[in-house]
Amino acid sequence: MKTLLDHMAPSRISTKLSIYVSAFIVVAFTLLQIYNFLIIKSEIKNQINKEQYTKAKFIAKDIKNKIDKRTKFLVALADLIPPEQMQSEDFLTEKIKEHIAFTNFFPQGFAVINPTGKGVIAEYPVIPSRKSLDLSNREWLINAKNSQHIIISSPFRSEVTDEVLVVIAKALRDKSGRVLGILEAPIFLNRPGFMEYIFDHDYNETSDTLVISRASQIFLASSTPSLVFKSIPKRGEVVFYDQVMDGFNGVGDTVNASGDEVLAAAANISFLNWFVIVRTPVDKVYQTINESLEASIISGVIVSFAVFLAITFFLFFFFNPLKEAAESVREMVLKKQPLKHIEGYKNDEIGDLIVGFNAVIDMVNERRDKLEKSNATLESLSQIDDLTGVFNRRWLDHTLNQLWQVKTRSQEPLTLLLIDIDEFKKFNDTYGHIAGDECLRKVAENIQKSINRPTDFFARYGGEEFVILLEGDLVEGFAVAEKTRQAVNNLQITHSESPYNHVTISLGVSSVIPQLNTDSVELVKQADLALYQSKRRGKNRYECYQHKE
């Protein structure tokens, strides 16, 4: 049976050119597409790794914050239970009910356990099975009795519900230090309000999430329910797990329980000695890109065959647009330019290939945009103090060092106001830590309102201390100091232990023109000395640092 090739005269230049060019296009086009897709495949892997690591760090931070809030809440409740009321079940029950009404942290409630571990002094809500439990040998109860601070237990399964939980507890003592009872509250790891999103299929549509305890070497939570509270692979079986158990944070390759290759990222929850792993199966990561590669190769063969038939008459017409498209791809890859759409010249196989490639580019760009937004959110969170909502100490140090360098070059003054809430420890002792936190928030809010210029920088320095950084001289510093002092004074927050009967602040003001041979820490030290003078001279005032000649 004759083929089209049999009708072609071998001596004709157009025939030879058709064969040579068509063969070249089949080989070159296929190799080029494979090369370009391998580059994109590598970029997609990097993007997925970054996305996984961002997600792992977010989950780790979320768990840490939730544990922090719950431990602070339990400490606040413990501080409100006087030793003389420890045997009053009615008083304890009412106190617990009052605090449960203020939060959804502990939907399962609190209990005050007998120091022996046998019996419950008070609880709310009432769980009948709890009173019959013998907790005397429980690790968390023994640790709580031996500690002056709040403790967090190792994870274990509930004897009542078979759910995985940890217990936070604090010993309630009399003035002599004798343990009168143990205030405890369980945290069920897979109930609403804690880590339920890890068990949510929609949240883990393309990947799965694991929370692992280093000390217990078990899975505490998993998108795969069958793994929960199972032992992790033994040391030596999976290299990535061994690295993470030794403290590694980052991304890598590993395998899942089925032996399938996965991309993984790990982040620590340091104070709990837990860590989070986010895993994505490789076949899901590369599914779209592999399908696109296959479609591209098929499209390339079809286009090349069409060119073979028409190259004698339309060589330039067909070859030149394809060449331009290939050069555009090569330029983006080799010159590391931003990925952008390749313009198709008409509605044919080459145009279909370009549309498919553009779809891959859209996918990569979309994931990059999401990653940039996630990174921006995390960066913003790292600059803000959780309690007051103003900038934190870390961002203050960064800003001060930057301004110090700028003012060293311009030889312009830099002024710092160090602010301290007067008698704040007595305020906490009198009104409690919850009221103290609210006081800090109100003071920070009013100070923030009192400084209006875009260049004025306000941050929490630590505890009850704040800092205002001004790009100006002492005159401006004095004006802002008085305005700030008056703003807090006008709040009229009751403080019976203050000589003014309300909350006041003292300020230390220092101003320098930065020099190359001095460090920004000197400005803080000077303001601290001035603040000491304000305290010594009666509080509710500001003092300026006096340079010694």
Side-chain angles (χ1 to χ4, degrees):
M1 181 177 179
K2 291 186 177 182
T3 65
L4 291 174
L5 291 176
D6 295 327
H7 296 284
M8 296 183 178
S11 61
R12 292 179 59 189
I13 294 177
S14 60
T15 302
K16 293 178 180 179
L17 188 60
S18 297
I19 295 172
Y20 296 155
V21 173
S22 297
F24 172 80
I25 289 176
V26 169
V27 175
F29 183 82
T30 302
L31 291 178
L32 177 62
Q33 292 304 312
I34 292 174
Y35 172 73
N36 290 333
F37 275 88
L38 287 176
I39 295 296
I40 294 176
K41 193 173 183 179
S42 175
E43 290 186 0
I44 288 176
K45 178 181 178 181
N46 291 335
Q47 292 288 352
I48 292 293
N49 281 151
K50 290 177 182 178
E51 193 171 89
Q52 286 178 316
Y53 191 43
T54 298
K55 183 177 179 180
K57 290 194 294 184
F58 172 80
I59 293 173
K61 183 178 179 63
D62 180 65
I63 293 172
K64 176 184 180 298
N65 288 342
K66 286 177 178 176
I67 292 289
D68 281 344
K69 290 176 181 178
R70 283 158 174 78
T71 54
K72 289 177 181 178
F73 192 90
L74 189 133
V75 168
L77 175 57
D79 290 343
L80 295 176
I81 300 176
E84 58 271 19
Q85 295 286 355
M86 273 300 301
Q87 300 307 316
S88 173
E89 181 178 356
D90 291 342
F91 174 85
L92 295 176
T93 302
E94 189 60 32
K95 186 61 68 175
I96 291 171
K97 288 173 65 177
E98 288 176 5
H99 277 68
I100 288 179
F102 288 119
T103 182
N104 58 357
F105 288 166
F106 301 98
Q108 61 280 355
F110 298 88
V112 179
I113 309 298
N114 194 292
T116 64
K118 298 178 180 180
V120 177
I121 299 174
E123 62 176 330
Y124 187 85
V126 174
I127 301 176
S129 57
R130 180 154 51 189
K131 291 187 176 180
S132 61
L133 291 177
D134 183 358
L135 306 175
S136 57
N137 292 324
R138 294 296 173 88
E139 159 255 352
W140 61 265
L141 187 127
I142 295 170
N143 288 344
K145 290 167 63 174
N146 293 332
S147 174
Q148 297 293 326
H149 307 288
I150 193 167
I151 64 96
I152 302 173
S153 76
S154 300
F156 62 95
R157 281 194 180 277
S158 168
E159 295 179 5
V160 179
T161 65
D162 200 43
E163 296 175 87
V164 180
L165 74 153
V166 295
V167 170
I168 58 174
K170 189 176 190 303
L172 303 174
R173 304 173 183 272
D174 60 18
K175 293 182 179 179
S176 66
R178 182 169 60 94
V179 178
L180 303 177
I182 309 296
L183 177 63
E184 64 89 12
I187 300 176
F188 290 90
L189 303 187
N190 62 346
R191 288 196 182 179
F194 201 71
M195 292 193 296
E196 71 276 9
Y197 50 80
I198 293 178
F199 303 89
D200 185 353
H201 176 74
D202 293 336
Y203 185 81
N204 299 281
E205 185 177 356
T206 59
S207 61
D208 63 345
T209 305
L210 306 168
V211 179
I212 299 172
S213 167
R214 279 196 179 87
S216 304
Q217 298 187 17
I218 57 174
F219 296 101
L220 302 181
S222 171
S223 308
T224 306
S226 60
L227 288 179
V228 174
F229 221 65
K230 296 290 180 63
S231 297
I232 66 172
K234 295 180 180 179
R235 184 168 286 272
E237 293 183 355
V238 181
V239 174
F240 185 77
Y241 278 87
D242 294 345
Q243 293 172 335
V244 178
M245 288 293 288
D246 291 337
F248 172 75
N249 273 235
V251 299
D253 300 329
T254 183
V255 295
N256 59 20
S258 303
D260 300 324
E261 184 181 357
V262 297
L263 303 180
N268 274 328
I269 313 174
S270 55
F271 80 101
L272 292 173
N273 204 19
W274 298 356
F275 59 90
V276 176
I277 290 182
V278 176
R279 305 184 305 184
T280 305
V282 167
D283 58 351
K284 288 187 178 180
V285 173
Y286 299 142
Q287 181 178 1
T288 303
I289 194 72
N290 288 335
E291 291 174 355
S292 297
L293 176 59
E294 182 181 348
S296 297
I297 293 174
I298 294 173
S299 297
V301 171
I302 294 173
V303 170
S304 299
F305 183 71
V307 169
F308 171 76
L309 297 176
I311 194 67
T312 304
F313 308 101
F314 305 108
L315 180 63
F316 180 81
F317 180 77
F318 280 97
F319 182 78
N320 196 56
L322 182 60
K323 178 183 177 182
E324 291 179 354
E327 288 177 350
S328 178
V329 172
R330 184 182 292 124
E331 185 177 10
M332 284 189 288
V333 174
L334 296 182
K335 293 186 178 181
K336 298 182 179 180
Q337 295 179 345
L339 298 179
K340 58 184 179 181
H341 280 191
I342 300 171
E343 297 297 331
Y345 72 98
K346 63 186 301 184
N347 187 22
D348 57 14
E349 289 83 358
I350 297 177
D352 291 343
L353 177 62
I354 293 173
V355 169
F357 192 80
N358 288 343
V360 175
I361 289 176
D362 287 340
M363 180 186 69
V364 173
N365 288 337
E366 181 182 357
R367 289 188 173 177
R368 184 195 63 226
D369 292 341
K370 288 182 179 179
L371 179 63
E372 289 176 351
K373 290 179 181 178
S374 297
N375 288 338
T377 301
L378 289 174
E379 178 64 22
S380 175
L381 290 173
S382 70
Q383 300 172 9
I384 302 300
D385 175 61
D386 289 339
L387 177 62
T388 60
V390 302
F391 289 116
N392 58 23
R393 171 69 177 275
R394 174 180 172 275
W395 198 244
L396 167 65
D397 293 341
H398 172 79
T399 303
L400 178 57
N401 288 333
Q402 279 197 329
L403 282 176
W404 189 266
Q405 295 175 11
V406 171
K407 297 304 181 182
T408 300
R409 290 192 296 268
S410 65
Q411 285 298 285
E412 295 175 332
L414 187 61
T415 300
L416 186 142
L417 284 65
L418 184 58
I419 304 167
D420 183 79
I421 301 177
D422 297 325
E423 307 292 356
F424 188 71
K425 183 181 183 304
K426 291 182 179 180
F427 185 93
N428 271 339
D429 293 342
T430 303
Y431 301 103
H433 289 280
I434 294 177
D437 289 348
E438 182 62 24
C439 176
L440 284 171
R441 281 191 286 267
K442 288 183 178 179
V443 168
E445 180 182 355
N446 265 47
I447 293 177
Q448 184 76 73
K449 290 178 180 178
S450 69
I451 54 176
N452 302 316
R453 296 183 305 179
T455 57
D456 295 345
F457 179 85
F458 177 50
R460 187 180 181 190
Y461 190 68
E464 67 272 19
E465 292 186 320
F466 298 89
V467 163
I468 297 177
L469 199 57
L470 305 174
E471 297 185 44
D473 55 18
L474 272 178
V475 174
E476 295 175 82
F478 291 158
V480 173
E482 176 57 24
K483 187 177 181 182
T484 302
R485 185 198 68 79
Q486 191 62 45
V488 175
N489 200 58
N490 291 341
L491 280 173
Q492 292 293 305
I493 300 173
T494 302
H495 186 358
S496 60
E497 297 299 317
S498 166
Y500 299 95
N501 289 323
H502 60 266
V503 171
T504 60
I505 58 172
S506 296
L507 304 94
V509 184
S510 179
S511 182
V512 299
I513 296 177
Q515 305 296 323
L516 286 173
N517 60 349
T518 59
D519 192 86
S520 61
V521 72
E522 292 301 319
L523 184 62
V524 180
K525 289 181 179 179
Q526 293 175 7
D528 191 46
L529 291 173
L531 175 61
Y532 173 77
Q533 292 297 326
S534 296
K535 294 285 190 181
R536 194 170 64 85
R537 294 174 179 174
K539 305 181 180 63
N540 193 19
R541 58 186 291 121
Y542 63 87
E543 291 289 341
C544 172
Y545 175 76
Q546 301 295 325
H547 292 272
K548 296 181 180 180
E549 299 297 334

